[in-house]
Amino acid sequence: MKQNLETTIALLERTPAALDALLRGLPKAWTERNEGDGTWNALEIVGHLAHAEVTDWMPRVQCILDYGESRDFPPFDRAGFWRILEGRELAEVLDEFSRLRLKSLTELASLGLQPADMDRTGRHPSFGTVTLSQLLATWAAHDANHLHQLARVLAHQYRAAVGPWSAFLGVMSCNGHSERG
Amino acid sequence: MKQNLETTIALLERTPAALDALLRGLPKAWTERNEGDGTWNALEIVGHLAHAEVTDWMPRVQCILDYGESRDFPPFDRAGFWRILEGRELAEVLDEFSRLRLKSLTELASLGLQPADMDRTGRHPSFGTVTLSQLLATWAAHDANHLHQLARVLAHQYRAAVGPWSAFLGVMSCNGHSERG
């Protein structure tokens, strides 16, 4: 389907509560184990989402509106979430993600974007011209991307424990598709 | 990690609220589209989870306790959820899943299972001997499996809309790993 601002926001506004319901109070055996060296645990995934609220999505929306294709998007460090995690428990990172997402969506609403704005363009440092509509669709799909990753990280913890059922659970065959910004 | 009853239940008791927070009120553009012929949409995924509460998990736990390996598990029809969906909106199916999961977990608690019970065995119709511990681990991993699928189904709706970002989102490369009961 085509990106539609209302449809996009409907998903974006639900993700923090969904992660909260799934992860708050869950034993660390689930939330602080990853899929092996160089992979993220649940805490880091939520940290990454919170960090992207500050440095990725709305700054890029604003960059398109202010500069169009005349300059590259500001850089986004996928692993720059360590500042958000520092000294925080998962419950606090969930609160922070909720707060930052609400702030982003409030700012987005205040822009009063119209359907015609969706075709406005900006310049991605890796692949050049992109539209505001593509950026907004990616914001929502990026939530789904990390929910997909999170579910896989959780399932991985019981990979051995499920015994022969492992072959019957598709998530156990998912090989952790890479993601870049 | 090893399956542990408390750890397993911690995940099982959170799944209905997580799905509720993500899906309740979400536009049908997200919840009633699938990944193509023969695949499930969000409504069907929740219906499948609700159906499994009635016909899969606790009946199999009880079968291990009552009959051990002397008889096969009762059959489970992966697509038998149509009765649960019939005439129901997504909000009602979410309510039904919540209610049935709570009922299952109440029954599970009433069994007073001890660590030694985890090694008790039953007979799966496809792959023979399995332990109660493996069955319980699979119950939790099966939740994660369908959360993983759901996230992929959501992302799929914006596959075209994200434009060049598609290559950067791992979920778009996930090819829908099969699952059997």
Side-chain angles (χ1 to χ4, degrees):
Chain A
M1 63 176 167
K2 288 186 70 169
Q3 192 278 135
N4 167 286
L5 191 57
E6 200 178 333
T7 306
T8 298
I9 290 173
L11 186 59
L12 290 175
E13 68 188 6
R14 281 168 174 78
T15 306
L19 292 175
D20 199 280
L22 184 63
L23 297 175
R24 188 177 295 261
L26 198 63
K28 290 183 179 184
W30 288 119
T31 60
E32 297 195 1
R33 292 177 197 229
N34 62 19
E35 298 175 284
D37 285 353
T39 65
W40 293 350
N41 61 27
L43 178 66
E44 291 163 332
I45 291 168
V46 180
H48 166 74
L49 287 167
H51 177 64
E53 290 304 302
V54 183
T55 65
D56 191 344
W57 307 111
M58 283 307 297
R60 289 181 172 192
V61 168
Q62 202 60 57
C63 188
I64 288 178
L65 298 179
D66 292 346
Y67 304 107
E69 295 184 56
S70 71
R71 66 168 74 172
D72 274 1
F73 287 150
F76 173 60
D77 176 7
R78 283 183 65 237
F81 54 77
W82 62 270
R83 277 185 211 84
I84 284 182
L85 297 189
E86 217 170 21
R88 282 199 175 99
E89 293 285 329
L90 176 56
E92 297 167 286
V93 181
L94 287 164
D95 287 340
E96 187 68 355
F97 175 46
S98 257
R99 188 183 69 78
L100 292 168
R101 173 58 58 89
L102 185 61
K103 184 165 174 283
S104 298
L105 293 180
T106 305
E107 281 170 26
L108 181 64
S110 76
L111 296 174
L113 295 174
Q114 298 302 311
D117 292 316
M118 295 298 140
D119 295 327
R120 294 177 69 166
T121 54
R123 200 173 74 206
H124 188 281
S126 299
F127 43 67
T129 303
V130 290
T131 65
L132 180 57
S133 183
Q134 288 169 340
L135 176 63
L136 294 170
T138 303
W139 190 357
H142 180 263
D143 276 11
N145 190 64
H146 287 290
L147 189 60
H148 178 260
Q149 175 189 25
L150 173 62
R152 193 185 62 229
V153 174
L154 293 175
H156 177 73
Q157 309 315 321
Y158 267 0
R159 182 181 295 276
V162 302
W165 267 289
S166 182
F168 283 20
L169 294 163
V171 66
M172 300 296 186
S173 310
C174 184
N175 60 2
H177 321 286
S178 65
E179 181 222 352
R180 289 177 291 162
Chain B
M1 63 178 167
K2 286 185 69 170
Q3 192 278 136
N4 167 286
L5 190 56
E6 202 177 333
T7 306
T8 298
I9 290 172
L11 187 59
L12 290 175
E13 68 189 6
R14 281 168 174 76
T15 305
L19 292 176
D20 198 280
L22 183 64
L23 298 175
R24 189 177 295 260
L26 198 62
K28 290 183 179 183
W30 289 118
T31 61
E32 297 195 1
R33 292 177 197 229
N34 62 19
E35 297 176 283
D37 285 352
T39 65
W40 293 350
N41 62 25
L43 178 67
E44 290 163 333
I45 291 169
V46 181
H48 167 74
L49 286 167
H51 177 64
E53 291 303 302
V54 183
T55 64
D56 191 344
W57 308 111
M58 283 308 297
R60 288 180 172 193
V61 168
Q62 203 60 56
C63 188
I64 288 178
L65 298 179
D66 291 346
Y67 304 107
E69 294 184 57
S70 71
R71 65 168 76 171
D72 276 1
F73 287 150
F76 173 59
D77 176 7
R78 282 182 67 237
F81 53 76
W82 62 271
R83 276 184 212 85
I84 284 182
L85 297 188
E86 217 170 23
R88 282 198 175 99
E89 292 287 327
L90 176 57
E92 298 167 286
V93 181
L94 287 164
D95 287 341
E96 186 69 355
F97 175 46
S98 256
R99 188 182 70 78
L100 292 169
R101 173 58 58 90
L102 185 61
K103 183 165 176 282
S104 297
L105 293 180
T106 304
E107 282 170 25
L108 181 64
S110 76
L111 296 174
L113 295 174
Q114 298 303 311
D117 292 316
M118 294 298 141
D119 295 328
R120 294 177 68 167
T121 53
R123 201 172 75 208
H124 188 283
S126 300
F127 43 68
T129 303
V130 290
T131 66
L132 180 56
S133 184
Q134 288 169 340
L135 175 63
L136 294 170
T138 302
W139 190 357
H142 180 264
D143 277 11
N145 189 65
H146 287 290
L147 189 59
H148 178 260
Q149 175 189 26
L150 173 62
R152 194 186 62 230
V153 173
L154 293 175
H156 178 74
Q157 309 315 320
Y158 267 0
R159 182 180 296 276
V162 301
W165 267 289
S166 181
F168 284 21
L169 294 164
V171 66
M172 300 295 186
S173 309
C174 185
N175 60 4
H177 321 286
S178 64
E179 182 222 351
R180 290 178 290 163

